[in-house]
């Protein structure tokens, strides 16, 4: 079942003519000519679509929170910053099929009553920005953007804005600050962007994949979308699969397949690379807790774990993880968990904006302490020190980067404490090139 990627390999799909030959822009025709903005929102609500950037907040509900004061402009901002380590699905979609996003932007902007919308793209993806700009120009030339789109009386201008390469600008309020031309420091919430967003006006910020899915929902109805998936995890999800698998790549899966199938089936990851065994998985981008092999495949109650929001987080962080942005990083037994945790900790330390002290100081401490463990200079008390620092960051910061930095460290220690201990107790072994602790 493919919704977003059905035609992604068709030669020329990045051009408007080929895209239209494959059913493109029918959702714009339908929404603008036959539906009201409220009807579009109603279908999105019925679909159960949840935010695909990572938080999984219901899209229709977010849209219905949008304040609509008389005479004040509203904005739709597409978060295409996608900087979460292990996540590259939005990049793939925009690069291969830019009109899929542009069509979703038009339909969604219409539903929200926005006449100016933005796509904020991660700064490193300059070539994707050029692809989007070319596609947007084609849409203007065909009367799908600009004044009185397809004679409907609805006007929309769409702009692409480049970020400067800071991870924090993917946080929605930092993104808005950056879009306003300022340093990308997150704002306190509330007020949420739906009430005070871009230039203090009501704004919806949605991920690329979420916006792209709205065209299919308009064409086929919210009920049809809700029939795909399991429970509150409806529809399909793009998963960026990387690491020690036979077939890394971006896969569109119906939510609800088993994690085991996703890893081992030839349709998806194709199993672990030759002769190796699964050791651990980070299921939703670097911000979510790591799980060892036995726990990623099976829930706390002994059932097969599913690729859904609920099943992956089953039992909370003691036994589960999160679907997050769908950045599925697979590690085999040759992976050193201490080294892996250091890589993440160094990243968050580097990317902290420095506004709040638990994150600014705590990420630095975690980086420093894990580094000394890795270098064979760890102390016995360091493991508990790391757990303590992570606890002090969690829940005490302005934006979720603090939690994102703390969770991978506390989860790595929760599930692989013996590996950290081995590094401290056997520095002469642990610091040999390529040395990896093998669990007994
Ligand atoms: P969040 O849970 O704070 O918010 C989710 C969305 O719902 C936001 O747009 C927020 O404005 C809206 N919202 C929540 N309550 C609301 C209310 N009462 N009224 C109006 N709107 C409301 O999470 P956030 O900060 O948007 O995202 C965090 C997630 O992002 C993490 O879990 C992580 O997985 C993911 N992430 C993804 C990255 C990527 O590259 N895709 C990068 C970094 C993090
Ligand atoms: Fe900045 Fe970190 Fe505070 Fe977020 S949690 S505002 S990144 S210092």
């Amino acid at each position: 079942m493919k919704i977003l990627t059905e035609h992604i390999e068709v030669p020329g799909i990045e051009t408007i003519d080929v895209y239209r030959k494959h059913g493109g822009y029918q959702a714009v025709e339908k929404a603008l000519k036959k539906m009201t903005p409220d009807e579009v929102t109603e279908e999105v609500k019925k679909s159960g679509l949840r935010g695909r950037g990572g938080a999984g907040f219901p899209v229709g509900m977010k849209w219905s929170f949008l304040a609509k004061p008389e005479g004040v402009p509203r904005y739709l901002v597409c978060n295409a910053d996608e900087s979460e380590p292990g996540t590259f699905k939005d990049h793939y979609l925009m690069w291969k099929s830019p009109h899929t996003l542009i069509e979703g932007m038009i339909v969604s902007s219409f539903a929200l009553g926005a006449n100016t919308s933005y796509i904020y793209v991660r700064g490193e993806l300059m070539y994707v920005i050029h692809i989007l700009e070319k596609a947007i120009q084609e849409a203007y030339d065909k009367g799908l953007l600009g004044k009185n789109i397809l004679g409907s009386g609805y006007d929309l201008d769409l702009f692409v804005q480049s970020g400067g390469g800071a991870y924090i600008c993917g946080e929605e309020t930092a993104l808005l600050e950056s879009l306003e031309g300022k340093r990308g420091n997150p704002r306190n919430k509330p007020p949420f962007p739906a009430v005070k967003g871009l230039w203090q006006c009501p704004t919806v910020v949605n991920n690329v994949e979420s916006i792209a899915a709205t065209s299919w929902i308009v064409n086929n109805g919210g009920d049809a979308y809700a029939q795909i998936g399991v429970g509150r995890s409806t529809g399909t999800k793009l998963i960026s699969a990387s690491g020690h698998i036979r077939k890394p790549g971006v896969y569109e899966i119906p939510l609800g397949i088993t994690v085991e199938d996703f890893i081992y089936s030839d349709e998806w990851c194709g199993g672990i690379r030759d002769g190796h065994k699964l050791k651990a998985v980070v299921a939703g981008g670097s911000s979510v807790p790591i799980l060892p092999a036995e726990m990623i495949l099976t829930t706390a109650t002994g059932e097969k774990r599913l690729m859904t929001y609920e099943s992956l987080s089953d039992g909370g962080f003691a036994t589960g993880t999160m679907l997050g942005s769908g950045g599925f990083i697979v590690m085999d037994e040759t992976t050193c968990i201490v080294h892996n945790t250091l890589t993440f900790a160094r990243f968050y330390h580097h990317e902290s904006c420095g506004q709040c002290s638990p994150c600014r100081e705590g990420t630095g401490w975690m980086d420093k302490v894990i580094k000394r463990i890795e270098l064979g200079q760890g102390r016995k008390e360091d493991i508990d020190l790391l757990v303590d620092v992570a606890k002090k960051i969690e829940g005490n910061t302005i934006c979720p980067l603090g939690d994102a930095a703390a969770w991978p460290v506390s989860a790595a220690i929760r599930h692989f404490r013996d590996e950290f201990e081995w590094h401290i107790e056997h520095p002469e072994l642990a610091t040999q090139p390529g040395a990896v602790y093998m669990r007994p």
Side-chain angles (χ1 to χ4, degrees), residues 53-55 57 62 65 82-84 87 167 171-172 189 192-194 205 284 287 322 324-325 400:
F57 195 85
K62 194 193 278 192
F65 286 160
E82 195 177 56
S83 306
E84 179 83 338
T87 312
Y167 172 72
E171 195 284 329
E172 59 177 2
K189 292 195 278 189
F192 288 95
V205 184
S287 307
M322 289 164 83
S325 58

Side-chain angles (χ1 to χ4, degrees), residues 267-280:
E267 203 179 334
W268 321 111
C269 302
I272 309 301
R273 61 180 179 167
D274 291 343
H276 291 285
K277 280 194 325 219
L278 178 66
K279 177 172 184 174

Side-chain angles (χ1 to χ4, degrees), residues 168 186 352-356 359-360 397-399 401-402:
I168 194 57
S352 166
C353 84
Q355 259 194 122
C356 34
C359 172
R360 183 186 61 240
T397 56
I398 295 175
C399 89
L401 190 143

Side-chain angles (χ1 to χ4, degrees), residues 158-178:
L158 180 58
F159 299 96
V160 181
Q161 175 65 45
S162 152
Y167 172 72
I168 194 57
C169 289
E171 195 284 329
E172 59 177 2
T173 59
L175 186 157
L176 296 176
E177 288 283 299
S178 169

Side-chain angles (χ1 to χ4, degrees), residues 88-311:
F88 40 88
K89 44 128 194 143
D90 296 339
H91 169 188
Y92 174 71
L93 191 63
M94 292 186 291
W95 160 48
K96 292 283 220 176
S97 185
H99 287 288
T100 304
L101 173 60
I102 295 166
E103 182 172 14
M105 285 298 289
I106 300 169
V107 165
S108 305
S109 302
F110 171 73
L112 297 167
N115 299 112
T116 307
S117 297
Y118 297 89
I119 305 174
Y120 183 97
V121 185
R122 165 177 186 178
E124 288 92 335
L125 301 184
M126 203 40 87
Y127 75 102
V128 172
I129 292 173
H130 293 321
I131 289 171
L132 281 171
E133 279 173 341
K134 200 167 159 205
I136 287 173
Q137 190 53 54
E138 284 184 316
Y140 271 105
D141 294 346
K142 299 277 183 194
L144 288 155
L145 279 170
K147 294 259 174 273
N148 192 20
I149 297 173
L150 301 177
S152 65
Y154 173 63
D155 306 334
L156 176 65
D157 282 313
L158 180 58
F159 299 96
V160 181
Q161 175 65 45
S162 152
Y167 172 72
I168 194 57
C169 289
E171 195 284 329
E172 59 177 2
T173 59
L175 186 157
L176 296 176
E177 288 283 299
S178 169
L179 201 49
E180 291 178 10
K182 296 181 247 161
R183 182 189 156 104
N185 278 352
R187 301 173 183 167
N188 271 310
K189 292 195 278 189
F192 288 95
V195 178
K196 279 190 177 180
L198 191 61
W199 294 297
Q200 299 297 307
C201 298
T203 303
V204 163
V205 184
N206 279 146
N207 170 260
V208 172
E209 188 186 343
S210 315
I211 293 171
T214 58
S215 308
W216 193 94
I217 293 167
V218 164
N219 283 331
N220 298 278
D223 287 336
Y225 191 86
Q227 271 163 23
I228 309 162
V230 176
R232 290 184 56 240
S233 296
T234 61
T236 64
K237 173 90 189 84
L238 295 179
I239 305 288
S240 324
S242 66
H244 298 150
I245 44 178
R246 284 186 41 242
K247 292 167 56 195
V250 176
Y251 296 106
E252 181 171 9
I253 61 158
L255 285 168
I257 62 170
T258 66
V259 173
E260 190 176 340
D261 259 0
F262 183 64
I263 297 176
Y264 291 102
S265 151
D266 272 340
E267 203 179 334
W268 321 111
C269 302
I272 309 301
R273 61 180 179 167
D274 291 343
H276 291 285
K277 280 194 325 219
L278 178 66
K279 177 172 184 174
V281 169
V282 173
S286 61
S287 307
V288 310
I290 188 171
L291 278 188
E294 59 284 6
M295 291 176 80
I296 190 70
L297 299 176
T298 315
T299 66
T301 47
E303 286 138 27
K304 286 196 170 190
R305 208 181 277 283
L306 308 180
M307 297 287 282
T308 63
Y309 292 93
E310 292 74 24
S311 183

